[in-house]
């Protein structure tokens, strides 16, 4: 089965340190999402990429978070500097939107990675 | 923009009993609807989806959901639950046409289903 691979699976760091989480989407998928999950807030959308272009990062704290897709096989989420309130599980998900006659069609069925559990002390 | 409300944060039920997890959505355009399941310490997995056609959709593990456009609901049901169905369930919505947000999924807050022996 094709899968979304996230690294690291667990990360413990101290406040103020830089944290980088990586995601390898399923080969051929053209959409990538970053979600953050906490007990208090549930599942929050941080960033949405389509064909490597960032389309929505309105849920992401801009002063410390950044998300990029340097190429089609890698998405990164960086936090600098990290704070204790960033402790959460970060999920990456990828999907495929089909283009027909220049139009995007179909439903975006997402495959999720196993998540990166971040603890900031 | 779309939004999703899952009406119950927790649903306890006994094994072999029926269950319904409720989901309502809001959207100004036509939508696709999804249910995902998350087992402890795992990512989310697709349970079922509604794209078009029959309003009753069947998914994995004996779950089904019914799309009701007039009530903007997409409730998830199972006639007889097992201990192994204990998990968190998420309803999600995405617009079915156009724009930069096309393909973006908005999730509800989740419903924790606990099946007791």
């Amino acid at each position: 089965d094709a899968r979304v691979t996230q690294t690291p699976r667990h990360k413990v760091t101290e406040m103020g340190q830089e944290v980088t989480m990586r995601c390898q989407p399923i080969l051929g998928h053209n959409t990538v999402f970053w979600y953050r999950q906490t007990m208090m807030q549930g599942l929050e959308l941080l960033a949405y990429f389509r064909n490597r272009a960032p389309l929505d990062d309105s849920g992401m704290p801009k002063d410390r978070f950044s998300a990029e897709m340097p190429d089609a096989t890698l998405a990164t989420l960086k936090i600098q500097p990290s704070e204790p309130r960033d402790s959460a599980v970060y999920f990456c998900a990828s999907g495929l939107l089909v283009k027909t006659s220049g139009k995007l069609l179909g439903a975006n069925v997402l495959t999720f990675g196993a998540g990166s559990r971040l603890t900031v002390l | 923009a779309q939004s999703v409300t899952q009406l119950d944060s927790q649903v306890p039920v006994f094994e072999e009993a029926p269950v319904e997890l409720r989901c309502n959505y809001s959207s100004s355009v036509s939508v696709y609807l999804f249910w995902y399941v998350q087992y402890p310490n795992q990512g989310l997995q697709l349970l079922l989806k509604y794209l078009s056609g029959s309003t009753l959709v069947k998914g994995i593990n004996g779950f089904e959901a019914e799309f009701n456009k007039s009530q903007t609901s997409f409730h998830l049901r199972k006639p007889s639950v097992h201990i192994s169905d204990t998990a968190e369930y998420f309803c999600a919505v995405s617009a079915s046409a156009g724009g930069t947000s096309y393909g973006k999924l908005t999730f509800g807050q989740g419903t924790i289903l606990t099946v007791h022996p």
Side-chain angles (χ1 to χ4, degrees):
Chain A
D1 278 347
R3 57 180 63 188
V4 175
T5 303
Q6 290 187 246
T7 57
R9 289 296 314 279
H10 302 274
K11 175 76 175 179
V12 180
T13 191
E14 292 189 346
M15 183 173 64
Q17 297 297 305
E18 177 179 301
V19 174
T20 298
M21 288 168 275
R22 293 177 173 80
C23 168
Q24 181 177 352
I26 289 175
L27 190 65
H29 279 189
N30 56 7
T31 65
V32 172
F33 296 76
W34 284 103
Y35 289 94
R36 175 171 65 182
Q37 186 176 37
T38 60
M39 290 288 290
M40 294 301 295
Q41 300 296 328
L43 204 59
E44 301 173 274
L45 175 65
L46 296 177
Y48 168 40
F49 290 80
R50 196 168 74 209
N51 296 320
R52 293 177 56 203
L55 293 185
D56 188 343
D57 60 1
S58 57
M60 198 162 65
K62 301 291 192 305
D63 55 338
R64 299 183 299 108
F65 284 61
S66 61
E68 296 179 346
M69 281 200 73
D71 61 62
T73 64
L74 177 65
T76 62
L77 180 66
K78 188 176 295 185
I79 309 173
Q80 166 64 14
S82 58
E83 297 181 2
R85 59 181 166 148
D86 302 329
S87 297
V89 181
Y90 291 81
F91 286 103
C92 175
S94 72
L96 175 63
L97 286 176
V98 176
K99 205 166 191 178
T100 302
S101 301
K103 287 181 63 175
L104 288 169
L105 297 170
N108 199 8
V109 178
L110 298 187
T111 300
F112 279 75
S116 293
R117 182 177 296 275
L118 173 65
T119 303
V120 183
L121 302 174
Chain B
Q2 289 75 44
S3 67
V4 178
T5 302
Q6 291 185 240
L7 296 155
D8 307 293
S9 59
Q10 297 192 52
V11 173
V13 65
F14 286 107
E15 195 173 18
E16 298 183 6
V19 71
E20 178 180 81
L21 306 184
R22 297 179 294 167
C23 171
N24 284 94
Y25 69 92
S26 173
S27 177
S28 56
V29 299
S30 296
V31 296
Y32 298 130
L33 294 156
F34 308 82
W35 277 96
Y36 282 80
V37 59
Q38 184 181 30
Y39 299 104
N41 300 312
Q42 295 186 26
L44 281 70
Q45 304 172 34
L46 180 69
L47 202 55
L48 50 78
K49 62 184 182 288
Y50 170 78
L51 307 183
S52 64
S54 173
T55 57
L56 183 65
V57 292
K58 296 188 183 299
I60 61 172
N61 301 338
F63 283 94
E64 62 182 33
E66 185 154 22
F67 170 56
N68 188 320
K69 189 174 181 179
S70 62
Q71 296 188 4
T72 59
S73 68
F74 191 54
H75 301 331
L76 181 71
R77 302 185 183 100
K78 186 170 182 177
S80 175
V81 294
H82 302 288
I83 298 285
S84 59
D85 293 323
T86 295
E88 188 162 14
Y89 292 79
F90 292 89
C91 183
V93 64
S94 70
S96 64
T100 57
S101 65
Y102 183 69
K104 186 175 84 170
L105 265 71
T106 300
F107 284 86
Q109 287 294 95
T111 297
I112 296 173
L113 173 65
T114 305
V115 181
H116 297 283

